[in-house]
Amino acid sequence: MKWKEQLLTLTPYQPGKSIDEVKRQYGLENIVKLASNENPFGCSAKVAEALKNAPISFAIYPDGYATDLRESLAAFYKVAPEQLILGNGSDNLIQIISRAILGKGVNTVMAVPTFSQYKHNAIIEGAEIREVPLANGHHDLEGMLSRIDANTGVVWVCNPDNPTGTYIPKDKLFAFLEKVPKDVLVVLDEAYNEYVVADEGYHVNELVSQFENVIVLRTFSKIYGLASLRIGYGIAASEVIRALEPAREPFNVNTIAQKAAIAALEDQEFIQFCKHKNREGLEQFYQFCQESNLDYYPSQTNFILIDFKTDGNEVFQFLLEKGYIVRSGKPLGFPTSVRVTVGSKEQNAGVIEAMKQFLAVKTS
């Protein structure tokens, strides 16, 4: 077989352990998964109601243009329908962008560590990867600018960042975008945008109208609680969307996901509830870290990265055997840390107690 050479050494994405897998492996009855930044409160009740009453034929292809959802998103964000592209999760949009622009002789600029799929897809396309280390957990925007040249195709900016949860305020972000050459696409991956409480925010239609070389990626997987349906979207100038569309596979968003997303978008009261509960949960972790003298990054997301100053895999394994699935920081670029999804108040209290037990064992 004449495989692409880069595929032969590329490791597939490694998802966190499933609840059933941990139950079987350790003989545990109750498992709390706090590894994949899912919404512990699920999704809006309006989603189940909408799907219950929606006539869906499994034999018919979905609307390839996602017309109804496209119109709902356009109205919600006050953009034109042709400024939107839909994907099978925002991961699919990262893949589409990479396929459309990257290749041999083209380079791409990104932070390190950051979300792994930017680099993963760039490797598949054979592009040169230029990584700029984070500065105290934040994007080094000036450093990223210095790596852009005539052969740069895409710049990736995760805001808020994963895995640190840090956020680039409007003034710094817009100043950065002003300096990026207009023939370079900047991808702002905003998967956690709805959790942001920072005052220095911006409206997406303001952003894409001012910068025609920017695409904003968002998802229904996080605060909207539709991760299993895999649905994300991008917002950009219509010229950008028009250029990307041929790289999108047909019928890439299924019918159930489209209908669920419309219902989820309509229930902004649920979104505000989740946002409020998430901030309360983060405060539980902040208090634990401060009392335990553990370093952490204040987060604008629904997760927190905590530095235990020891092997992150060791912390991960200890918590796993207590019934709590988190993510070791090792594969995320923070080898002495773990990343923990903010759960319900009770879930947070439980994993914090388990972390206290780990610290007690380490110091005994």
Side-chain angles (χ1 to χ4, degrees), residues 13 15 33 35-44 47 51 87-92 115 191-192 194-195 218-233 252-254 256-258 260-261 264 270-271 302 339 341:
Y13 178 79
K33 186 185 177 192
S36 302
N37 307 332
E38 296 142 332
N39 189 339
F41 305 105
C43 66
S44 165
V47 171
L51 295 181
N88 183 35
S90 54
D91 289 347
N92 180 216
F115 185 49
Y192 300 93
E194 291 85 2
Y195 285 109
R218 294 196 179 173
T219 182
F220 284 94
S221 294
K222 302 306 179 184
I223 203 167
Y224 284 96
L226 301 181
S228 69
L229 295 181
R230 309 306 301 124
I231 181 162
Y233 55 98
N252 64 326
V253 179
N254 70 77
I256 296 173
Q258 291 183 36
F270 174 75
I271 299 306
N302 68 333
R339 192 192 68 189
T341 303

Side-chain angles (χ1 to χ4, degrees), residues 63 65-86 220 231 233-235 258 261-263 265-266:
D63 175 2
Y65 192 66
T67 306
D68 292 342
L69 175 57
R70 184 181 298 270
E71 291 178 354
S72 294
L73 286 166
F76 184 77
Y77 286 110
K78 297 180 173 59
V79 297
E82 58 267 23
Q83 288 183 263
L84 289 152
I85 185 170
L86 280 296
F220 284 94
I231 181 162
Y233 55 98
I235 308 171
Q258 291 183 36
I262 292 170
L265 191 66
E266 291 173 351

Side-chain angles (χ1 to χ4, degrees), residues 160 167 192-201 272 275-276 278-279 282 286 299-301:
Y167 182 72
Y192 300 93
N193 176 268
E194 291 85 2
Y195 285 109
V196 173
V197 297
D199 294 331
E200 312 91 339
Q272 291 304 311
K275 185 175 182 177
H276 175 71
N278 183 70
R279 296 318 300 181
L282 279 170
Y286 293 165
S299 177
Q300 292 291 330
T301 68

Side-chain angles (χ1 to χ4, degrees), residues 210-328:
Q210 185 170 338
F211 302 102
E212 294 187 354
N213 61 328
V214 171
I215 182 168
V216 176
L217 305 186
R218 294 196 179 173
T219 182
F220 284 94
S221 294
K222 302 306 179 184
I223 203 167
Y224 284 96
L226 301 181
S228 69
L229 295 181
R230 309 306 301 124
I231 181 162
Y233 55 98
I235 308 171
S238 57
E239 292 81 2
V240 172
I241 301 300
R242 190 159 50 245
L244 288 174
E245 276 289 349
R248 178 180 67 85
E249 62 270 31
F251 311 116
N252 64 326
V253 179
N254 70 77
T255 299
I256 296 173
Q258 291 183 36
K259 293 183 181 299
I262 292 170
L265 191 66
E266 291 173 351
D267 193 355
Q268 290 300 307
E269 183 177 344
F270 174 75
I271 299 306
Q272 291 304 311
F273 165 79
C274 294
K275 185 175 182 177
H276 175 71
K277 288 295 184 183
N278 183 70
R279 296 318 300 181
E280 290 183 343
L282 279 170
E283 290 299 329
Q284 289 178 265
F285 286 104
Y286 293 165
Q287 182 177 348
F288 159 70
C289 290
Q290 290 159 9
E291 291 174 350
S292 304
N293 294 315
L294 298 176
D295 293 333
Y296 66 95
Y297 293 108
S299 177
Q300 292 291 330
T301 68
N302 68 333
F303 61 80
I304 182 169
L305 187 70
I306 304 174
D307 188 354
F308 280 82
K309 299 288 194 301
T310 190
D311 187 340
N313 285 348
E314 185 181 354
V315 186
F316 162 80
Q317 187 63 36
F318 183 92
L319 297 178
L320 189 65
E321 294 177 18
K322 297 291 183 181
Y324 292 94
I325 311 173
V326 301
R327 282 298 296 272
S328 168

